[in-house]
Every structure is written in C-alpha cells, then in structure tokens.
C-alpha cells in the first residue's frame, strides 16, 4: 500500500512529523489539506526453489521411474526399476539410474525398505529463446539461464526457439532439462537420388531445421513438416 503525505494548515514554517512511518504531516499557510501518494519500490523477485527442503521419509520401496534419488552425494534419475522378492533371502530393488550431472548410466541394487535420500531436484518451465555463441539461453519473466554446449549435449538436435522446456535445478545449478516428446520439424534437405532406388528399405535420411537428421519415408520431400519423437529421433508422421 502506498504511503500518504498530508499537507495541513497553520504556521508558515515547514514541519514534518511521522506516525509509525506511514505518513508525514507538513504545516503550510494554506487551509486546504491535500494528499500526495508516495511510490514505494517493488522488491525484486527471487526464485524460491532452494528455500525449502523435503522432510518426508523416503525408502527404496518408494522408488519409481522418474524419481530423483541422492546416492554418494550425487543426484540420480531412476530410468528403470524392479522389486524382487526371491524365494530365499531378503527382497531388493534393482534399478537403472542416470547421473544428472555427468549423464552416465549404471545399474544399482538396494535392499527393500531401507531409508534413502530423495534428491531435492526442483523443476521450472522456461522457454528456449536463442543461442548466443556457444551458449543456449532459456528465459521466463524473472530469470535467464544459460547452458553451454556440453550442458545441452545431443538435445540440441531437436531444440527449437520458442520451445518450452522443463529445467531441473539441484543445489542452485541447472543440471538437466526436458523438452516435449513430440516436436514439429521442417525438412530442409533430402537426397533426390534415393527416390527411385528400389534397393533402399523405403526410407531416406532427411536434414531438419534444427540440425538433426531423421530417417523418413521416401515420399517425404524438402519443405515438408514432420513430427519427431525427441526421445528416439524417430519419424512419427507428417504434420497435417
């Protein structure tokens, strides 16, 4: 709420008085009081992604695909899991996990029911806006995130300007991001020589506008819009 300054009557001298810092009263010779609003500065927005910590207990029985766990001080994403209860011995959980930071994928086994630390990975949606030199720039209304070429990796083959991405943050650092599973790409080049080659398997490589290469049917032409599965890089069909 804006503060209020009130000018009132009586003496010719200038006097200021405040009450709880909310208003200032100045005495002038005029008998007509008037009010002058005081503009207050708007505080700068700071993301609260790291202000809160998770307090709920987490065990190996809670592991599922997509869960984020912390092992040996590093964050891992669960890609696959299987709860195993052998005829003899204790039950366990077999997993395939990927390190958010290094990108390495390994298999790990955990005893069933043991306490684990869930990695405090925060997710925020930001838009990929442009590339500046070797940096990829993602933005929202409050913040700009820049990732180097090594931080984007092979995902740059499908990254388009204006695409909404889900950024993953851990300990104040962006460690990964996701983009839509299905994206529309424009074919910028195909090999005309393959159209009549019956020895082919009915497909040809096509270069798309993001720099990636997709294997497409022979009827796809330069200038066509196609749908691509970003998880596999496979052709899904033509955009109608």
């Amino acid at each position: 709420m804006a503060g209020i300054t009130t000018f009132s009557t009586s003496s010719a001298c200038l006097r200021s008085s405040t009450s709880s810092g909310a208003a200032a009263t100045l005495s002038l010779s005029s008998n007509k009081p008037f009010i002058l609003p005081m503009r207050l500065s708007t505080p700068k927005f700071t993301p609260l992604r790291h202000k809160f910590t998770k307090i709920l207990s987490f065990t190996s029985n809670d592991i599922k695909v997509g869960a984020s766990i912390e092992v040996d001080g590093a964050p891992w994403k669960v890609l696959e899991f299987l709860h195993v209860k052998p005829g003899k011995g204790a039950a366990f959980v077999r997993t395939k996990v990927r390190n958010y930071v290094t990108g390495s994928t390994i298999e790990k086994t955990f005893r069933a029911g043991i306490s684990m630390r869930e990695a405090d990975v925060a997710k925020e949606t930001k838009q990929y806006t442009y590339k500046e030199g070797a940096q990829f720039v993602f933005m929202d209304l409050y913040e700009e995130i820049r990732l180097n070429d090594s931080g984007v990796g092979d995902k740059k083959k499908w990254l388009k300007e204006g695409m909404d991405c889900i950024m993953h943050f851990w300990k104040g650092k962006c460690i990964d991001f996701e983009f839509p599973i299905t994206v529309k790409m424009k074919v910028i080049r195909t090999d005309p020589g393959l159209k009549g080659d019956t020895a082919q398997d009915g497909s040809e490589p096509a270069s798309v506008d993001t720099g990636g290469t997709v294997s497409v049917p022979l009827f796809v032409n330069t200038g066509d819009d196609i749908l691509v599965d970003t998880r596999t890089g496979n052709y899904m069909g033509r955009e109608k």
Side-chain angles (χ1 to χ4, degrees), residues 1-7 19-25 34-41:
M1 181 177 179
I4 302 298
T5 300
T6 304
F7 294 90
S19 175
S20 302
T25 304
F34 65 96
I35 297 174
L36 177 65
M38 298 173 64
R39 179 174 296 175
L40 302 179
S41 61

Side-chain angles (χ1 to χ4, degrees), residues 49-50 120 143 145 168-175:
R49 67 176 75 101
H50 306 297
D120 191 11
E143 191 179 25
I145 299 295
H168 295 210
F169 294 89
W170 184 66
K171 294 186 176 181
K173 180 181 179 181
C174 181
I175 56 175

Side-chain angles (χ1 to χ4, degrees), residues 124-135:
E124 297 177 10
T125 299
K126 299 187 185 298
Q127 187 179 86
Y128 171 60
T129 52
Y130 61 94
K131 184 180 181 184
E132 185 175 64
Q135 293 185 321

Side-chain angles (χ1 to χ4, degrees), residues 1-221:
M1 181 177 179
I4 302 298
T5 300
T6 304
F7 294 90
S8 61
T9 65
S10 70
S11 133
C13 68
L14 189 64
R15 184 184 62 204
S16 66
S17 62
T18 60
S19 175
S20 302
T25 304
L26 303 177
S27 296
L28 298 173
S29 58
S30 171
N31 290 325
K32 266 191 169 180
F34 65 96
I35 297 174
L36 177 65
M38 298 173 64
R39 179 174 296 175
L40 302 179
S41 61
T42 304
K44 184 179 179 181
F45 176 83
T46 302
L48 300 178
R49 67 176 75 101
H50 306 297
K51 298 294 184 181
F52 307 100
T53 56
K54 297 182 180 180
I55 58 176
L56 298 178
S57 61
F58 185 87
T59 72
S60 57
N61 294 336
D62 299 315
I63 289 177
K64 59 183 179 181
V65 172
S68 298
I69 60 177
E70 189 171 326
V71 180
D72 298 330
W76 300 78
K77 181 178 182 178
V78 178
L79 305 178
E80 300 174 8
F81 77 98
L82 178 66
H83 290 275
V84 181
K85 190 173 183 180
K88 293 182 179 181
F92 60 91
V93 183
R94 182 183 295 123
T95 66
K96 184 176 182 180
V97 293
R98 178 173 60 83
N99 189 301
Y100 275 109
V101 179
T102 65
S104 61
T105 300
I106 62 173
E107 293 185 354
K108 290 190 75 70
T109 299
F110 305 95
R111 286 185 290 112
I114 63 169
S115 295
M116 300 185 65
R117 186 178 181 87
E118 188 175 9
D120 191 11
V121 177
K123 298 181 180 181
E124 297 177 10
T125 299
K126 299 187 185 298
Q127 187 179 86
Y128 171 60
T129 52
Y130 61 94
K131 184 180 181 184
E132 185 175 64
Q135 293 185 321
F136 297 79
V137 183
F138 300 79
M139 300 179 67
D140 60 15
L141 292 176
Y142 309 104
E143 191 179 25
E144 176 184 289
I145 299 295
R146 290 173 176 259
L147 296 180
N148 293 324
D149 191 81
S150 59
V152 175
D154 288 341
K155 292 180 180 180
K156 64 186 176 184
K157 294 188 299 185
W158 318 121
L159 198 56
K160 300 188 70 172
E161 292 184 3
M163 178 182 287
D164 286 337
C165 302
I166 300 176
M167 317 299 290
H168 295 210
F169 294 89
W170 184 66
K171 294 186 176 181
K173 180 181 179 181
C174 181
I175 56 175
D176 194 13
F177 71 93
E178 303 172 15
F179 43 34
I181 294 175
T182 304
V183 296
K184 182 174 73 172
M185 303 284 176
K186 182 172 288 293
V187 176
I188 60 173
R189 186 173 64 254
T190 59
D191 189 347
L194 297 178
K195 297 294 184 184
D197 190 348
T198 56
Q200 295 293 320
D201 59 358
S203 64
E204 60 178 332
S207 300
V208 295
D209 53 346
T210 56
T213 301
V214 184
S215 180
V216 300
L218 293 176
F219 58 76
V220 173
N221 300 306

